Amino acid sequence: MPSDPTWDQVVACVDLPAKPNGPPPATGAVAEAADSKRAHPRTSLPAWGILRHNKQLFGAYLCDVSRSGLGFYSPVALIPPATVEIWLPNGSRLEVVVKRCIRHAKDRYRCGAVHVGHADS
């Protein structure tokens, strides 16, 4: 988890399993199902980021990104079509609209969102 001063303001952080199942996440292209309806291919992006929702900051774990969307784990349920801000590790801030949010465990929700633009600083 990052040690950036912004992390001191995080209210809650997603609870990831200590030993995830399967091999460690790899970077690069993500395989798509033959019947995938995705407009753009995904690229794996295993990294910590910050989620801003209702003026609060949360620790989120980014999974994948594409030209049109982003997949991530959130410590809080985000009811579609919530608009949230995601702060990427490179300092970019994206405004996204949540399209799906599925609970995987306590304090762990798998979310999918589409980009609506760059967020104002």
Side-chain angles (χ1 to χ4, degrees), residues 38-42 51-53 60-74 78-86 88 94-102 109-117:
R38 294 183 183 275
H40 303 100
R42 294 179 293 160
L51 165 70
R52 185 169 180 251
H53 178 57
Y61 190 76
L62 310 175
C63 302
D64 54 64
V65 65
S66 75
R67 276 183 25 195
S68 60
L70 180 71
F72 61 94
Y73 284 98
S74 167
L78 301 170
I79 308 302
T83 299
V84 299
E85 193 176 308
I86 300 286
L88 301 176
L94 298 175
E95 188 175 4
V96 298
V97 174
V98 176
K99 294 296 184 177
R100 66 177 172 76
C101 183
I102 301 167
Y109 297 85
R110 178 70 160 97
C111 302
V114 294
H115 305 296
V116 290

Side-chain angles (χ1 to χ4, degrees), residues 2-19:
S3 60
D4 183 305
T6 308
W7 280 89
D8 294 340
Q9 301 169 19
V10 167
V11 175
C13 194
V14 66
D15 181 27
L16 293 177
K19 292 183 178 181

